Amino acid sequence: MIKKLVLSGFAAMAILFAAGCGDSPQTTAKVFLENLSKGNVTVAKKYATEQTGEFIDAVVEMDKLEINPDFKFIFIDETVDGDFAVIRYKSSGNATNEIKALHLVKTNSQWKVTIQKDQ
Amino acid sequence: MLLYFFVLLFYGRSCCFCAEQKGNDHRLPPVESGDLVFRNGTGQWSRYFRDVSLREKRFSHAGIIRVETNAAFVIHASADDRTGAGFVHQEPLHSFINPYDDVAIYRVTDAAKSDREQIAVFAVKNLGKLFDAQFDLTSGERYYCTELIRDAVAFALKTNMIKTTAVSGYEIIAIDDCYAGDWVFLIYDSRAATVP
């Protein structure tokens, strides 16, 4: 009985964790950027739109992905407009201390990083 | 009095045209259909587009100018943050170059105006085609910004003027491929801040 309860608890936690992935723009941005900067492309792409994933694959093929193991996401602020959000952040591994913006879109109740038009 | 009226009329029309094209600091010369416009974006992804250029890592995006009844537009292929799936679309030149500080416009050398206009005609024909986030030159069904320019120029001039760049074995049309060589000349450069 106790074993069943423990297993159920773990299952519930796993479901909650999975559901929690991408449940806020800030969380999504943080996980995406931290994984991308470490070269964990497969994980990063889970937090991005399909189009953005294709773009990341192309960047990797061109050997242009910049790896920065020291990257640390520093949240500045967020703007949410319905299913669209912009996260402003800084990186502790960024020598210029530049504030950057990351765009996100909500699809199937999950926030995903998306390439913005500002190319 | 009549002369004064015509001066006013001409001056008024010129100002309207300039105002349409003028941005915060960009004082553009008259542009024509088929001119190619380049900008340096400041977004999260801009550096990737800049970095594939081998000669000049300056611009991150490009489009084709189309002038219609005194209004200038840019047709370009880009990602779209609203739909998650970008496509070839048209927007006013003013919004394309603003708020970007670094902008340049090139025009095809030694080509009749009617031939240069065909560059814009090709772009119009391809409005709505999906953005090619894979940068795959073999797809044909999807376009990224410089791929659209290459095909439009080839269509108009009946010859392929824009070469590809190999990046780690990946063939891509870099931004600077689109203005390398003397087949185009500069008509506006924000760095020069003068109108030639």
Side-chain angles (χ1 to χ4, degrees):
Chain A
M1 182 63 185
I2 292 171
K3 194 177 174 185
K4 273 187 179 175
L5 277 174
V6 170
L7 283 173
S8 309
F10 274 121
M13 279 172 65
I15 290 166
L16 281 173
F17 178 75
C21 290
D23 66 350
S24 80
Q26 187 183 337
T27 306
T28 303
K30 182 178 189 294
V31 178
F32 172 81
L33 289 168
E34 286 181 347
N35 278 284
L36 193 67
S37 63
K38 289 176 174 61
N40 300 329
V41 172
T42 309
V43 179
K45 280 166 58 181
K46 288 179 182 169
Y47 295 84
T49 60
E50 188 182 343
Q51 180 179 251
T52 308
E54 289 177 349
F55 173 72
I56 291 168
D57 283 340
V59 169
V60 169
E61 275 206 55
M62 288 180 228
D63 201 20
K64 288 288 179 185
L65 186 68
E66 281 184 13
I67 305 295
N68 178 11
D70 299 328
F71 176 88
K72 193 175 175 190
F73 178 81
I74 300 171
F75 175 74
I76 304 292
D77 57 31
E78 73 177 16
T79 308
V80 180
D81 177 16
D83 289 340
F84 308 102
V86 180
I87 295 286
R88 294 200 313 141
Y89 70 96
K90 283 199 297 187
S91 161
S92 60
N94 181 357
T96 60
N97 212 21
E98 182 186 2
I99 294 176
K100 292 184 175 178
L102 194 68
H103 292 228
L104 298 98
V105 61
K106 200 173 193 177
T107 54
N108 298 324
S109 304
Q110 294 220 316
W111 287 101
K112 303 269 188 181
V113 172
T114 181
I115 308 176
Q116 70 272 32
K117 279 197 279 188
D118 181 24
Q119 291 170 335
Chain B
M1 185 63 188
L2 195 63
L3 179 66
Y4 180 65
F5 170 74
F6 276 112
V7 166
L8 268 182
L9 183 68
F10 177 77
Y11 183 74
R13 285 180 65 87
S14 298
C15 281
C16 287
F17 193 50
C18 287
E20 177 65 33
Q21 299 177 77
K22 194 167 65 177
N24 294 337
D25 294 307
H26 299 297
R27 300 176 68 84
L28 303 183
V31 294
E32 296 178 1
S33 286
D35 289 345
L36 309 176
V37 57
F38 301 85
R39 76 184 187 200
N40 181 18
T42 53
Q44 169 74 23
W45 311 98
S46 302
R47 67 186 166 90
Y48 292 110
F49 296 99
R50 268 195 308 273
D51 279 357
V52 292
S53 288
L54 299 180
R55 302 169 199 85
E56 185 180 50
K57 297 181 190 300
R58 178 178 172 189
F59 300 112
S60 59
H61 194 40
I64 295 165
I65 290 178
R66 177 191 183 207
V67 177
E68 197 175 81
T69 55
N70 272 7
F73 301 92
V74 177
I75 298 174
H76 59 117
S78 73
D80 193 302
D81 54 339
R82 293 273 149 175
T83 63
F87 51 92
V88 178
H89 61 284
Q90 176 174 285
E91 71 174 281
L93 174 59
H94 178 268
S95 68
F96 184 87
I97 63 172
N98 284 296
Y100 307 96
D101 291 332
D102 200 1
V103 170
I105 300 175
Y106 284 82
R107 180 169 297 160
V108 176
T109 313
D110 296 333
K113 189 177 179 184
S114 57
D115 288 338
R116 285 188 275 116
E117 284 172 350
Q118 290 302 307
I119 297 172
V121 168
F122 181 91
V124 170
K125 280 182 185 170
N126 284 280
L127 281 169
K129 274 204 175 175
L130 283 176
F131 173 67
D132 184 2
Q134 294 176 309
F135 300 92
D136 180 6
L137 287 173
T138 62
S139 73
E141 290 305 309
R142 306 201 300 174
Y143 274 119
Y144 58 94
C145 63
T146 49
E147 185 181 13
L148 176 68
I149 290 174
R150 180 197 64 171
D151 285 5
V153 169
F155 171 82
L157 305 184
K158 310 284 188 290
T159 181
N160 188 12
M161 303 302 295
I162 299 172
K163 309 300 179 200
T164 57
T165 292
V167 182
S168 301
Y170 201 101
E171 286 296 323
I172 190 168
I173 301 165
I175 303 278
D176 64 353
D177 288 327
C178 294
Y179 58 90
D182 56 6
W183 68 277
V184 284
F185 67 98
L186 190 66
I187 65 164
Y188 174 73
D189 185 344
S190 58
R191 286 184 177 175
T194 56
V195 178

